[in-house]
Amino acid sequence: MGRLTGKVAIITGAASGMGLAGIQLFAREGAKVVATDVAIEALEEQVKQIVAGGWEAIALKLDVSSPESWNAVVEETVSKFGKIDILVNNAGIHMAKGILEAELEDWDKVMSINGTGVWLGMKAVIPYMQKNGQGSIVNTSSIAAIIGGIADAQGAAYSASKGSVRSLTKHGAQWFAKDNIRVNSVHPGAVFTGMVEKAGIKSQVEMGRITKILLHCLHMLVNLWILLTPTCFWHLMNPNSLQVLSCL
């Protein structure tokens, strides 16, 4: 029996990168996985492999910036599985544009997915978790939410959006603790994914060099080992060895 046996989990941004690693891990741990992404064809191929391995998962198209899309996913999840135990808000995008380079359209696009998308997800699932009497929400923030600068690969809107995720997580954790709903954020550091590659990082070796700099900055700013509840500090992880289960 896995650690998530009997649990129903919605995971966003699941077609690649950390989201893909997440649905694979959750399925192996016994969860009924609702994998979501806008890249539905790529997602369906990955979910087919999970199902072929004997685990339970479905693929649903989700635009996290759309309330209607969220409502459709939540309704289908509850219709098929009867409940929602876990939400992992992982979907996100990055634009390598600083404060002076970014246009309002760029800013709004990043914010709508990375920030508003997290809020919409929480807003959609929390009422069902309240009915269940419990639930767990894990929001993917970033080390960029803490130190910015080199950690955001020149993405001003990215840092700002991930900072909003960090703050929203704390708000949710405090307001819904009475409903036995836990809300945590994870803060990945230098993880080599497709999004990072698009930002100009070309290898895990290059990622490693950045990691050393990030560790130095983080040590100076937060003394590295200080954990601020309800934030689950998740940094410098390989996407194939996720520690997100420690937040559930």
Side-chain angles (χ1 to χ4, degrees):
M1 181 177 292
R3 288 175 287 177
L4 298 178
T5 297
K7 301 293 185 181
V8 177
I10 298 175
I11 302 179
T12 71
S16 61
M18 291 186 292
L20 173 57
I23 63 172
Q24 293 168 341
L25 174 63
F26 277 42
R28 289 196 303 268
E29 290 293 338
K32 298 174 182 178
V33 176
V34 179
T36 71
D37 207 298
V38 289
I40 189 61
E41 293 182 1
L43 180 64
E44 287 174 340
E45 286 301 313
Q46 296 295 342
V47 168
K48 284 180 183 177
Q49 295 180 32
I50 291 174
V51 173
W55 299 297
E56 192 165 2
I58 61 172
L60 298 178
K61 187 172 183 177
L62 172 62
D63 173 2
V64 296
S65 67
S66 165
E68 295 78 15
S69 188
W70 267 111
N71 290 338
V73 165
V74 167
E75 288 173 7
E76 187 161 350
T77 300
V78 174
S79 176
K80 183 173 180 62
F81 297 117
K83 62 175 181 174
I84 301 171
D85 297 296
I86 300 165
L87 169 65
V88 180
N89 276 313
N90 172 75
I93 63 170
H94 177 275
M95 288 189 184
K97 296 182 179 181
I99 291 174
L100 301 182
E101 295 78 20
E103 300 294 339
L104 181 59
E105 181 180 357
D106 303 323
W107 182 273
D108 287 346
K109 184 174 182 179
V110 173
M111 286 294 181
S112 70
I113 295 172
N114 295 6
T116 303
V118 171
W119 165 62
L120 288 174
M122 294 172 66
K123 183 178 177 66
V125 305
I126 284 175
Y128 291 92
M129 292 180 172
Q130 288 173 319
K131 290 179 182 178
N132 294 344
Q134 62 179 355
S136 179
I137 298 172
V138 180
N139 297 324
T140 302
S141 180
S142 170
I143 195 173
I146 301 170
I147 65 174
I150 191 172
D152 64 29
Q154 301 180 26
Y158 181 82
S159 276
S161 67
K162 293 301 185 178
S164 75
V165 171
R166 184 184 183 208
S167 295
L168 182 63
T169 297
K170 293 177 182 296
H171 172 90
Q174 293 172 40
W175 279 102
F176 297 103
K178 61 180 173 50
D179 299 310
N180 200 28
I181 298 172
R182 288 169 291 111
V183 188
N184 289 279
S185 59
V186 293
H187 296 254
V191 182
F192 187 61
T193 64
M195 185 177 73
V196 169
E197 191 170 13
K198 289 178 183 178
I201 308 302
K202 299 303 181 183
S203 70
Q204 185 62 55
V205 173
E206 187 177 353
M207 206 82 235
R209 297 192 188 103
I210 296 174
T211 297
K212 292 181 180 179
I213 299 173
L214 293 177
L215 276 172
H216 180 65
C217 294
L218 189 61
H219 179 75
M220 289 190 296
L221 292 174
V222 296
N223 200 23
L224 191 57
W225 302 115
I226 298 176
L227 301 183
L228 300 175
T229 304
T231 297
C232 173
F233 222 62
W234 177 31
H235 61 287
L236 311 177
M237 300 304 302
N238 182 296
N240 294 316
S241 59
L242 296 177
Q243 296 299 307
V244 68
L245 287 176
S246 65
C247 297
L248 299 176

